[in-house]
Amino acid sequence: RVDALPVGAQLRPWRIRALDPAALLAALERNAYDHDGPGPTGVDVRLANDEAAAALLSGLVRDGVPVVSMQPLGGALEAAYLQLTEDR
């Protein structure tokens, strides 16, 4: 069962797309989020878990950043596999 797999202790990438990429980058930098530069599909941010993602999204909306989409990159099974094979 996928829900029985270990929860990843490492950060997981999430992709965020906003109508105003400059405002998105400014908010991420102001709050010291680990992120990549903007690309054509958005900005990739590394987050610890779903709760961190929800808190970031809430903060971005509160700060007036026009977020269009936000989703994790890869699934739970892939994250568990990467964690299990990380030290090999």
Side-chain angles (χ1 to χ4, degrees):
R1 294 180 35 158
V2 173
D3 60 349
L5 293 170
V7 176
Q10 65 187 31
L11 300 177
R12 183 173 173 197
W14 286 69
R15 181 159 295 148
I16 305 172
R17 193 165 64 87
L19 294 176
D20 185 350
L24 173 59
L25 288 173
L28 293 172
E29 290 170 8
R30 183 172 49 251
N31 294 291
Y33 280 97
D34 182 20
H35 67 282
D36 298 333
T41 58
V43 176
D44 293 351
V45 181
R46 282 160 288 287
L47 301 169
N49 52 39
D50 288 352
E51 290 78 12
L56 172 56
L57 181 58
S58 174
L60 291 172
V61 171
R62 185 176 48 251
D63 289 348
V65 177
V67 175
V68 174
S69 66
M70 181 173 175
Q71 69 270 349
L73 299 179
L77 182 59
E78 179 182 359
Y81 172 79
L82 292 174
Q83 180 187 5
L84 292 171
T85 59
E86 179 179 67
D87 295 328
R88 291 185 182 179

